[in-house]
Amino acid sequence: MKETRREPGAPPPAGAAPGGDPDSAAPDADLAVSLGDLVLANPVMTASGTFGGSGREFAPYLDLSKLGAIVVKTITPRPRPGNPPPRTRETAAGLLNSIGLQNPGFDRWVGEVLPLLRDIGTRVVINIAGETPAEYDELAGRLDGLPGIDAVEVNISCPNVEQGGACPAQDPAVTHRVISGVRARTRLPVIAKLSPNVEDVTVIARAAEDAGADAVSLVNTFLGTAVDWRTRRPVFRNVVAGLSGPAIKPLALWLVYRVVRAVSVPVIGIGGISTAEDAMEFLLVGATAIQVGTASFRTPSAAARIVRELPALLREAGAGSVREYRGTLRSWSHEAS
Ligand code: SIN
Protein backbone atom coordinates (compact mmCIF):
# COMPACT_ATOMS: atom_id res chain seq x y z
CA MET A 1 0.00 0.00 0.00
CA LYS A 2 1.60 3.21 -1.14
CA GLU A 3 1.75 6.61 0.48
CA THR A 4 -0.69 8.11 -2.01
CA ARG A 5 -3.53 6.13 -0.43
CA ARG A 6 -3.31 8.02 2.83
CA GLU A 7 -3.34 11.55 1.49
CA PRO A 8 -6.05 14.14 2.16
CA GLY A 9 -9.70 13.72 1.68
CA ALA A 10 -10.66 11.07 4.18
CA PRO A 11 -12.71 12.55 7.01
CA PRO A 12 -12.25 11.43 10.60
CA PRO A 13 -14.22 8.29 11.40
CA ALA A 14 -17.82 8.66 12.41
CA GLY A 15 -18.06 9.04 16.14
CA ALA A 16 -14.36 9.71 16.56
CA ALA A 17 -13.08 12.62 18.54
CA PRO A 18 -12.58 15.87 16.66
CA GLY A 19 -8.95 16.73 16.01
CA GLY A 20 -8.57 19.72 18.24
CA ASP A 21 -9.68 20.28 21.80
CA PRO A 22 -12.53 22.80 21.82
CA ASP A 23 -10.65 24.72 24.52
CA SER A 24 -7.34 24.85 22.67
CA ALA A 25 -5.90 27.99 21.11
CA ALA A 26 -6.37 26.66 17.56
CA PRO A 27 -9.43 24.42 17.53
CA ASP A 28 -9.64 24.53 13.75
CA ALA A 29 -6.33 22.76 13.06
CA ASP A 30 -6.97 19.57 11.13
CA LEU A 31 -5.23 16.77 13.00
CA ALA A 32 -6.61 13.84 11.00
CA VAL A 33 -4.11 11.38 9.53
CA SER A 34 -4.40 8.14 7.59
CA LEU A 35 -2.47 4.92 8.04
CA GLY A 36 -3.39 3.25 4.79
CA ASP A 37 -7.15 2.88 4.96
CA LEU A 38 -7.21 3.55 8.69
CA VAL A 39 -8.15 7.15 9.43
CA LEU A 40 -7.27 8.56 12.85
CA ALA A 41 -8.82 11.75 14.21
CA ASN A 42 -5.32 12.79 15.26
CA PRO A 43 -1.80 11.31 15.09
CA VAL A 44 -1.43 10.54 18.79
CA MET A 45 -1.52 6.85 19.67
CA THR A 46 -0.59 5.10 22.89
CA ALA A 47 2.29 2.62 22.73
CA SER A 48 1.62 -1.04 23.44
CA GLY A 49 2.38 -2.11 26.99
CA THR A 50 2.42 1.39 28.42
CA PHE A 51 -1.28 2.10 28.69
CA GLY A 52 -2.66 -0.64 30.90
CA GLY A 53 -4.31 -3.80 29.65
CA SER A 54 -7.29 -2.13 28.00
CA GLY A 55 -6.52 1.57 28.41
CA ARG A 56 -9.56 1.87 30.68
CA GLU A 57 -7.14 2.10 33.62
CA PHE A 58 -6.22 5.57 32.34
CA ALA A 59 -9.81 6.85 32.13
CA PRO A 60 -9.54 8.76 35.44
CA TYR A 61 -6.68 10.81 33.99
CA LEU A 62 -7.76 11.69 30.46
CA ASP A 63 -10.62 11.54 28.00
CA LEU A 64 -9.75 8.38 26.08
CA SER A 65 -11.93 9.45 23.15
CA LYS A 66 -9.53 12.35 22.45
CA LEU A 67 -6.72 9.99 21.45
CA GLY A 68 -6.01 9.06 17.86
CA ALA A 69 -5.80 5.39 18.82
CA ILE A 70 -5.16 3.08 21.72
CA VAL A 71 -2.73 0.23 21.13
CA VAL A 72 -3.24 -2.54 23.65
CA LYS A 73 -0.64 -4.66 25.43
CA THR A 74 0.67 -7.51 23.28
CA ILE A 75 -1.58 -10.58 23.14
CA THR A 76 -0.24 -14.09 22.47
CA PRO A 77 -2.23 -17.19 21.55
CA ARG A 78 -1.95 -18.62 25.05
CA PRO A 79 -1.56 -16.92 28.46
CA ARG A 80 1.95 -15.87 29.44
CA PRO A 81 2.93 -15.22 33.05
CA GLY A 82 5.81 -12.99 31.97
CA ASN A 83 9.28 -12.86 33.45
CA PRO A 84 10.00 -13.14 37.18
CA PRO A 85 10.53 -9.86 39.02
CA PRO A 86 12.23 -7.49 39.01
CA ARG A 87 10.86 -6.42 35.68
CA THR A 88 11.59 -2.72 35.57
CA ARG A 89 14.42 -0.43 36.56
CA GLU A 90 14.39 3.33 36.15
CA THR A 91 17.50 4.82 34.57
CA ALA A 92 18.80 8.38 34.50
CA ALA A 93 16.65 9.26 31.51
CA GLY A 94 14.48 6.27 30.84
CA LEU A 95 13.17 2.89 31.85
CA LEU A 96 14.48 -0.63 31.42
CA ASN A 97 11.84 -3.34 31.23
CA SER A 98 11.85 -7.08 31.10
CA ILE A 99 8.13 -7.85 31.27
CA GLY A 100 8.19 -10.88 29.02
CA LEU A 101 4.87 -10.32 27.26
CA GLN A 102 2.68 -11.08 30.25
CA ASN A 103 -0.91 -11.33 29.02
CA PRO A 104 -4.07 -13.40 29.58
CA GLY A 105 -3.94 -15.10 26.17
CA PHE A 106 -6.19 -14.42 23.21
CA ASP A 107 -9.36 -16.17 24.38
CA ARG A 108 -9.52 -14.47 27.75
CA TRP A 109 -8.55 -11.16 26.19
CA VAL A 110 -11.43 -11.39 23.72
CA GLY A 111 -13.84 -12.33 26.50
CA GLU A 112 -12.72 -9.91 29.20
CA VAL A 113 -10.71 -7.02 27.75
CA LEU A 114 -12.09 -6.40 24.26
CA PRO A 115 -15.61 -5.60 25.59
CA LEU A 116 -14.05 -2.83 27.69
CA LEU A 117 -12.63 -1.24 24.55
CA ARG A 118 -15.77 -1.27 22.43
CA ASP A 119 -17.35 2.02 23.45
CA ILE A 120 -14.14 3.87 24.16
CA GLY A 121 -14.75 6.31 21.29
CA THR A 122 -11.44 6.02 19.50
CA ARG A 123 -9.57 3.61 17.28
CA VAL A 124 -8.40 0.36 18.87
CA VAL A 125 -5.27 -1.39 17.64
CA ILE A 126 -4.63 -4.93 18.84
CA ASN A 127 -0.97 -5.87 19.21
CA ILE A 128 -0.08 -9.52 18.68
CA ALA A 129 2.95 -11.76 19.05
CA GLY A 130 3.75 -15.44 18.72
CA GLU A 131 6.65 -17.70 19.53
CA THR A 132 6.72 -18.98 15.95
CA PRO A 133 5.48 -17.63 12.61
CA ALA A 134 2.69 -20.22 12.81
CA GLU A 135 1.50 -18.66 16.07
CA TYR A 136 1.32 -15.22 14.43
CA ASP A 137 -0.69 -16.85 11.61
CA GLU A 138 -3.01 -18.45 14.12
CA LEU A 139 -3.74 -15.18 15.90
CA ALA A 140 -4.18 -13.18 12.72
CA GLY A 141 -6.68 -15.73 11.45
CA ARG A 142 -8.83 -15.20 14.52
CA LEU A 143 -9.05 -11.41 14.30
CA ASP A 144 -11.42 -10.85 11.40
CA GLY A 145 -15.00 -10.51 12.44
CA LEU A 146 -14.16 -9.42 15.98
CA PRO A 147 -16.04 -6.15 16.46
CA GLY A 148 -14.14 -3.24 17.93
CA ILE A 149 -10.68 -3.82 16.45
CA ASP A 150 -9.53 -1.30 13.85
CA ALA A 151 -6.00 -2.51 13.06
CA VAL A 152 -3.37 -5.02 14.13
CA GLU A 153 0.14 -4.09 15.19
CA VAL A 154 2.45 -7.06 14.85
CA ASN A 155 5.05 -7.16 17.58
CA ILE A 156 8.08 -8.72 15.95
CA SER A 157 10.47 -6.77 18.16
CA CYS A 158 10.08 -7.72 21.82
CA PRO A 159 13.56 -8.28 23.29
CA ASN A 160 12.34 -9.92 26.49
CA VAL A 161 11.25 -13.36 25.37
CA GLU A 162 14.27 -15.19 24.12
CA GLN A 163 17.55 -15.17 25.94
CA GLY A 164 19.81 -12.59 24.37
CA GLY A 165 17.11 -10.22 23.15
CA ALA A 166 16.61 -11.92 19.78
CA CYS A 167 13.38 -11.24 17.89
CA PRO A 168 11.89 -11.82 14.41
CA ALA A 169 12.53 -8.20 13.41
CA GLN A 170 16.27 -8.84 13.38
CA ASP A 171 16.00 -10.93 10.22
CA PRO A 172 14.43 -9.63 6.99
CA ALA A 173 13.38 -13.12 5.88
CA VAL A 174 11.64 -13.88 9.18
CA THR A 175 10.06 -10.42 9.16
CA HIS A 176 8.74 -11.08 5.67
CA ARG A 177 7.42 -14.50 6.66
CA VAL A 178 5.59 -13.22 9.74
CA ILE A 179 4.10 -10.12 8.15
CA SER A 180 3.02 -11.86 4.95
CA GLY A 181 1.40 -14.58 7.06
CA VAL A 182 -0.57 -12.01 9.04
CA ARG A 183 -1.40 -10.05 5.88
CA ALA A 184 -2.83 -13.15 4.23
CA ARG A 185 -5.09 -13.93 7.18
CA THR A 186 -6.71 -10.63 8.08
CA ARG A 187 -8.40 -7.77 6.29
CA LEU A 188 -7.45 -5.39 9.10
CA PRO A 189 -4.72 -2.81 8.43
CA VAL A 190 -1.39 -4.39 9.41
CA ILE A 191 1.30 -2.41 11.24
CA ALA A 192 4.74 -4.02 11.67
CA LYS A 193 6.46 -2.93 14.91
CA LEU A 194 10.19 -2.83 14.30
CA SER A 195 13.24 -3.24 16.49
CA PRO A 196 16.08 -0.73 16.72
CA ASN A 197 18.48 -3.56 17.58
CA VAL A 198 19.50 -4.30 14.00
CA GLU A 199 22.32 -3.34 11.71
CA ASP A 200 20.09 -1.58 9.17
CA VAL A 201 16.48 -0.95 10.12
CA THR A 202 15.63 0.17 6.57
CA VAL A 203 16.24 -3.38 5.32
CA ILE A 204 13.75 -4.74 7.84
CA ALA A 205 11.25 -1.96 7.10
CA ARG A 206 11.40 -2.77 3.40
CA ALA A 207 10.90 -6.47 4.13
CA ALA A 208 7.77 -5.59 6.12
CA GLU A 209 6.51 -3.34 3.34
CA ASP A 210 7.16 -5.97 0.68
CA ALA A 211 5.25 -8.47 2.82
CA GLY A 212 2.18 -6.25 2.73
CA ALA A 213 2.39 -4.14 5.89
CA ASP A 214 0.15 -1.08 5.62
CA ALA A 215 2.43 0.83 8.00
CA VAL A 216 5.51 0.33 10.13
CA SER A 217 5.96 1.52 13.70
CA LEU A 218 9.35 2.12 15.27
CA VAL A 219 11.13 1.84 17.54
CA ASN A 220 10.57 -0.80 20.16
CA THR A 221 13.06 -0.71 23.02
CA PHE A 222 16.84 -0.66 22.73
CA LEU A 223 18.78 -3.52 24.30
CA GLY A 224 20.31 -2.58 27.63
CA THR A 225 21.05 -4.02 31.00
CA ALA A 226 21.48 -3.18 34.67
CA VAL A 227 23.63 -4.88 37.26
CA ASP A 228 23.74 -4.67 41.04
CA TRP A 229 27.31 -4.22 42.18
CA ARG A 230 26.39 -5.16 45.76
CA THR A 231 24.91 -8.54 44.93
CA ARG A 232 27.15 -8.84 41.86
CA ARG A 233 24.16 -10.08 39.91
CA PRO A 234 22.32 -8.82 36.85
CA VAL A 235 19.13 -7.02 37.87
CA PHE A 236 17.06 -8.99 35.35
CA ARG A 237 16.92 -12.79 35.08
CA ASN A 238 17.34 -12.48 31.31
CA VAL A 239 20.27 -10.11 31.89
CA VAL A 240 19.19 -8.09 28.86
CA ALA A 241 16.20 -5.74 28.98
CA GLY A 242 14.62 -3.04 26.82
CA LEU A 243 15.34 0.67 27.27
CA SER A 244 12.68 3.30 26.55
CA GLY A 245 11.98 6.90 27.51
CA PRO A 246 13.67 10.25 26.84
CA ALA A 247 17.13 8.64 26.60
CA ILE A 248 16.22 7.00 23.29
CA LYS A 249 14.46 9.92 21.61
CA PRO A 250 17.37 11.13 19.42
CA LEU A 251 18.17 7.53 18.43
CA ALA A 252 14.54 6.83 17.55
CA LEU A 253 14.20 10.09 15.63
CA TRP A 254 17.20 9.18 13.48
CA LEU A 255 15.83 5.72 12.69
CA VAL A 256 12.39 7.12 11.87
CA TYR A 257 14.04 9.73 9.62
CA ARG A 258 15.82 6.94 7.76
CA VAL A 259 12.85 4.61 7.45
CA VAL A 260 10.56 7.39 6.19
CA ARG A 261 13.00 7.77 3.30
CA ALA A 262 13.24 4.03 2.68
CA VAL A 263 9.60 2.96 2.44
CA SER A 264 6.39 4.26 0.89
CA VAL A 265 4.02 3.13 3.62
CA PRO A 266 3.22 5.40 6.58
CA VAL A 267 5.66 5.38 9.47
CA ILE A 268 4.59 5.64 13.10
CA GLY A 269 7.27 7.21 15.29
CA ILE A 270 7.91 5.82 18.77
CA GLY A 271 10.68 6.54 21.24
CA GLY A 272 10.83 8.93 24.15
CA ILE A 273 7.95 11.11 22.99
CA SER A 274 6.72 13.01 26.06
CA THR A 275 5.52 16.37 24.78
CA ALA A 276 3.81 17.98 21.81
CA GLU A 277 7.21 19.43 20.84
CA ASP A 278 8.59 15.88 20.64
CA ALA A 279 5.62 14.85 18.51
CA MET A 280 6.22 17.81 16.17
CA GLU A 281 9.82 16.65 15.66
CA PHE A 282 8.77 13.14 14.62
CA LEU A 283 6.06 14.53 12.31
CA LEU A 284 8.61 16.93 10.82
CA VAL A 285 10.95 14.12 9.77
CA GLY A 286 7.99 12.42 8.13
CA ALA A 287 6.21 10.24 10.66
CA THR A 288 2.50 10.07 9.92
CA ALA A 289 1.56 9.33 13.52
CA ILE A 290 3.34 8.92 16.83
CA GLN A 291 3.01 6.71 19.89
CA VAL A 292 3.39 7.88 23.47
CA GLY A 293 4.90 5.18 25.69
CA THR A 294 7.00 5.57 28.80
CA ALA A 295 5.76 9.14 29.32
CA SER A 296 2.35 7.75 30.28
CA PHE A 297 3.88 6.06 33.34
CA ARG A 298 5.10 9.39 34.68
CA THR A 299 2.21 11.52 33.41
CA PRO A 300 -0.87 9.39 32.65
CA SER A 301 -2.47 12.26 30.74
CA ALA A 302 0.63 12.88 28.55
CA ALA A 303 -0.94 11.61 25.31
CA ALA A 304 -4.08 13.73 25.72
CA ARG A 305 -1.98 16.77 26.49
CA ILE A 306 -0.09 16.26 23.23
CA VAL A 307 -3.39 16.14 21.35
CA ARG A 308 -4.47 19.34 23.08
CA GLU A 309 -1.25 21.22 22.37
CA LEU A 310 -0.62 20.15 18.77
CA PRO A 311 -3.01 22.66 17.15
CA ALA A 312 -1.19 25.64 18.65
CA LEU A 313 2.21 24.28 17.60
CA LEU A 314 0.96 23.60 14.09
CA ARG A 315 -0.32 27.15 13.90
CA GLU A 316 3.06 28.42 15.12
CA ALA A 317 4.64 26.38 12.31
CA GLY A 318 2.28 28.01 9.82
CA ALA A 319 0.43 24.80 9.04
CA GLY A 320 -3.31 24.27 9.06
CA SER A 321 -3.12 20.52 9.34
CA VAL A 322 -0.84 17.65 10.28
CA ARG A 323 -0.85 16.52 6.66
CA GLU A 324 0.38 19.91 5.51
CA TYR A 325 3.16 19.97 8.10
CA ARG A 326 4.29 16.34 8.03
CA GLY A 327 7.66 15.66 6.41
CA THR A 328 8.54 19.31 5.76
CA LEU A 329 12.03 19.10 7.24
CA ARG A 330 14.25 21.52 5.38
CA SER A 331 17.66 20.66 4.03
CA TRP A 332 20.66 22.89 4.80
CA SER A 333 21.84 22.40 1.26
CA HIS A 334 18.73 24.15 -0.07
CA GLU A 335 19.21 27.27 2.04
CA ALA A 336 20.22 30.37 0.12
CA SER A 337 23.78 31.32 0.99
C1 SIN B 1 7.51 -6.97 27.24
O1 SIN B 1 6.38 -7.41 27.50
O2 SIN B 1 8.53 -7.59 27.57
C2 SIN B 1 7.67 -5.66 26.54
C3 SIN B 1 7.03 -5.66 25.22
C4 SIN B 1 7.96 -5.39 24.10
O3 SIN B 1 9.11 -5.02 24.29
O4 SIN B 1 7.53 -5.54 22.95
Side-chain angles (χ1 to χ4, degrees), residues 73 97-102 155 158-160 220-221:
K73 172 71 180 161
N97 93 79
S98 176
I99 306 298
L101 298 183
Q102 179 186 348
N155 186 355
C158 176
N160 300 326
N220 205 323
T221 53

Side-chain angles (χ1 to χ4, degrees), residues 67-292:
L67 302 174
I70 290 175
V71 185
V72 303
K73 172 71 180 161
T74 303
I75 308 302
T76 55
R78 278 154 283 285
R80 286 182 61 93
N83 295 334
R87 292 167 159 195
T88 59
R89 171 62 66 96
E90 201 167 344
T91 71
L95 183 74
L96 281 164
N97 93 79
S98 176
I99 306 298
L101 298 183
Q102 179 186 348
N103 76 95
F106 186 74
D107 290 336
R108 250 186 77 197
W109 185 84
V110 168
E112 295 173 17
V113 182
L114 185 55
L116 300 174
L117 288 158
R118 287 212 174 109
D119 61 348
I120 223 156
T122 188
R123 297 300 201 185
V124 172
V125 179
I126 188 173
N127 179 299
I128 62 167
E131 287 179 19
T132 61
E135 284 197 357
Y136 284 92
D137 291 351
E138 177 193 335
L139 273 180
R142 298 171 73 188
L143 294 180
D144 276 8
L146 279 179
I149 299 179
D150 296 297
V152 54
E153 183 176 61
V154 189
N155 186 355
I156 50 175
S157 48
C158 176
N160 300 326
V161 180
E162 281 187 52
Q163 197 75 19
C167 64
Q170 286 172 327
D171 182 324
V174 180
T175 295
H176 194 281
R177 164 64 186 87
V178 170
I179 298 301
S180 57
V182 171
R183 172 72 291 156
R185 286 164 180 82
T186 181
R187 282 168 295 181
L188 290 171
V190 173
I191 303 164
K193 185 165 182 178
L194 307 183
S195 169
N197 306 305
V198 294
E199 196 174 309
D200 186 349
V201 72
T202 65
V203 172
I204 309 296
R206 274 194 224 103
E209 179 179 40
D210 289 347
D214 297 293
V216 294
S217 57
L218 68 147
V219 291
N220 205 323
T221 53
F222 282 78
L223 296 183
T225 195
V227 297
D228 183 334
W229 69 265
R230 289 191 173 85
T231 63
R232 303 190 189 193
R233 289 189 200 284
V235 168
F236 303 107
R237 294 291 175 105
N238 280 354
V239 184
V240 72
L243 180 66
S244 60
I248 72 167
K249 199 194 91 179
L251 308 172
L253 191 62
W254 168 236
L255 296 180
V256 167
Y257 171 96
R258 291 184 59 212
V259 168
V260 162
R261 284 149 184 80
V263 297
S264 301
V265 292
V267 175
I268 303 168
I270 320 168
I273 298 172
S274 312
T275 66
E277 303 259 351
D278 295 337
M280 289 290 282
E281 292 173 18
F282 278 79
L283 296 171
L284 181 62
V285 303
T288 296
I290 58 99
Q291 293 183 5
V292 180

Side-chain angles (χ1 to χ4, degrees), residues 50-62 64 70 72-73 113 116-117 120 300:
T50 63
F51 208 64
S54 69
R56 281 275 180 208
E57 299 89 333
F58 282 67
Y61 308 103
L62 72 162
L64 298 171
I70 290 175
V72 303
K73 172 71 180 161
V113 182
L116 300 174
L117 288 158
I120 223 156

Side-chain angles (χ1 to χ4, degrees), residues 11-32:
D21 186 306
D23 299 330
S24 78
D28 52 344
D30 179 4
L31 299 186

